[in-house]
Amino acid sequence: MSIAPARLRARLGDVSGAFADGAVLFPLLLALAWQTGASVVIMLATTGAAYLVTGWLFRLPIPVQPLKSLSVMAIAAGASAQELQAAGLLLGAIYFSISFMNVNRLAGRIPDVLIHGFQLGLGILLLITAVRLMGGTVQEMLLVAFAATLVIGITRYSGLPLLGLIAVAGLMWGIWHAEVPLGGGHEDGLRASIVALMVLPQIALTLTNSVLGTQRAAQAYYGEAAWRVNPRRLLTSLGLGNLIVGAVGGMPYCHGSGGVTAHYRGGARSWLSNVVMGNALLLLAALLLIGGGGLPEYPPALQALLLGVIGVFHIQLTYASWRKLDTALILVVMGTTALLAQSMLWVLVAGVIALTLRALYQRLTPRRNDTGRAIESD
């Protein structure tokens, strides 16, 4: 009698967890559509299709997220739909080309602390974004902070997929109560400088966060079931996926490690969550196409709650590197950089510099044997 309830609970977790990454996906997708003039129907439909293919390919709740650096740059620089499409196609070609290299061997040479530092930086940026969305009033910030603490505690000690349930409730609220007009003020044309600003930082960020970070997060959460989630498969998926999606004007996407955390903490345990999310996005695209109405919009306070909780859970992935002094210092450097610069590219640069200085220090400092005497190097 205990098997059926456990199975039902798992299926409910897959359904609720499917929408747990919505706090990242929906705001960025809608902002891209509004700012660039790209078709929101095509963006929703292609993202839904990508979710279905990704679930089938990896057999796990692997997310489909907007490329964060690219998206932020596109919105800040006022990129056109043509520039967004060009950037997506170019990145797709780059990722697919890299997938033919010995990426699995290369990935094994990248220190865990660099990945953990990136996960720490992303968690901090999610928390910063959450604070900005709260509106600035002390009462609202305290309320959201209390709610986030409650969600983290209930999720940790009960296993209930509360994060996913809240995300679903927010999506339903947005569909029925909020509308953003289709289209918006945007530029036309193709500027090479804007495309370069979107593409260049994103390459390094994808290789660390969306490939190596996603692999490590999937292994941490799903263990041996994550054997398909390796750098070569991830790069092939991103390369071919962005080439196909970009060809029709869809949203450039990645498989972000923060999304893996969101889906898992939301209750998702199988790729049924990808099927649920993919079909929901396809249905939403069809409804918008038929009705010609407005776009769903997440309430800012709810976005803050979800992003804050995901940020905390994502930071917890870095625990292993805090246990040693030398790696903990590197995490401090990368975390501080994320807090001050608020750029994942600078977090990566800071991590590489810190690792280089550590290697130089270890080379110049003589090793000592058990008696405390220095060991001569050859």
Side-chain angles (χ1 to χ4, degrees):
M1 293 179 64
S2 61
I3 296 177
R7 185 175 298 173
L8 176 61
R9 185 176 179 177
R11 297 291 79 81
L12 290 175
D14 285 329
V15 173
S16 63
F19 299 93
D21 197 36
V24 174
L25 172 63
F26 288 109
L28 279 180
L29 186 150
L30 300 178
L32 281 174
W34 170 253
Q35 294 293 336
T36 67
S39 169
V40 70
V41 172
I42 292 177
M43 294 180 81
L44 286 169
T46 54
T47 304
Y51 250 108
L52 295 175
V53 173
T54 298
W56 173 83
L57 181 62
F58 296 103
R59 300 297 200 279
L60 283 177
I62 301 299
V64 173
Q65 297 181 313
L67 290 166
K68 297 180 186 65
S69 176
L70 179 147
S71 299
V72 171
M73 183 58 66
I75 294 168
S80 67
Q82 295 93 329
E83 290 162 347
L84 182 67
Q85 184 177 17
L89 287 169
L90 185 55
L91 284 170
I94 292 171
Y95 297 151
F96 187 60
S97 299
I98 296 175
S99 70
F100 288 99
M101 301 178 185
N102 195 352
V103 290
N104 290 347
R105 182 179 179 184
L106 175 63
R109 295 182 176 180
I110 296 179
D112 287 343
V113 66
L114 186 63
I115 305 303
H116 290 158
F118 223 78
Q119 291 170 331
L120 173 64
L122 179 59
I124 290 174
L125 290 187
L126 288 172
L127 291 175
I128 291 174
T129 304
V131 171
R132 288 175 176 170
L133 287 168
M134 289 182 195
T137 64
V138 176
Q139 294 85 350
E140 186 175 359
M141 293 177 69
L142 289 175
L143 181 61
V144 172
F146 173 76
T149 303
L150 198 62
V151 170
I152 292 170
I154 293 175
T155 302
R156 177 182 295 276
Y157 294 109
S158 72
L160 292 174
L162 196 57
L163 191 66
L165 295 174
I166 294 173
V168 172
L171 177 61
M172 297 304 296
W173 186 95
I175 291 174
W176 291 106
H177 293 91
E179 288 190 350
V180 179
L182 290 169
H186 53 83
E187 298 288 339
D188 290 321
L190 187 62
R191 294 164 291 178
S193 59
I194 299 297
V195 175
L197 286 173
M198 288 190 284
V199 169
L200 294 178
Q202 187 65 61
I203 296 172
L205 302 185
T206 297
L207 293 176
T208 47
N209 181 55
S210 302
V211 175
L212 301 181
T214 296
Q215 180 193 28
R216 305 293 170 84
Q219 289 174 343
Y221 291 130
Y222 300 105
E224 293 182 358
W227 66 269
R228 296 182 181 88
V229 188
N230 60 62
R232 186 179 300 280
R233 275 181 174 244
L234 287 166
L235 281 167
T236 302
S237 171
L238 293 176
L240 290 177
N242 277 295
L243 284 172
I244 295 170
V245 166
V248 295
M251 178 192 73
Y253 70 88
C254 65
H255 304 309
S257 58
V260 177
T261 296
H263 284 307
Y264 181 86
R265 293 298 184 179
R269 295 296 182 271
S270 78
W271 69 290
L272 174 63
S273 66
N274 280 60
V275 175
V276 172
M277 186 60 161
N279 283 310
L281 291 170
L282 290 172
L283 177 61
L284 183 56
L287 291 175
L288 288 175
L289 180 64
I290 295 171
L295 306 179
E297 182 183 29
Y298 256 65
L302 185 60
Q303 290 181 44
L305 171 64
L306 294 176
L307 289 176
V309 172
I310 294 169
V312 170
F313 282 135
H314 210 54
I315 289 173
Q316 291 176 356
L317 290 171
T318 69
Y319 173 74
S321 289
W322 286 106
R323 292 182 292 181
K324 294 178 61 179
L325 179 60
D326 61 333
T327 54
L329 289 175
I330 293 174
L331 289 185
V332 170
V333 170
M334 297 180 73
T336 303
T337 302
L339 190 62
L340 297 177
Q342 298 182 23
S343 165
M344 292 304 293
L345 181 59
W346 282 111
V347 171
L348 177 60
V349 171
V352 171
I353 292 174
L355 281 168
T356 303
L357 291 175
R358 184 185 70 168
L360 183 61
Y361 173 79
Q362 291 174 342
R363 178 173 297 182
L364 296 177
T365 303
R367 293 177 295 161
R368 298 185 178 275
N369 57 23
D370 294 336
T371 64
R373 299 181 64 181
I375 300 175
E376 295 291 339
S377 59
D378 295 332

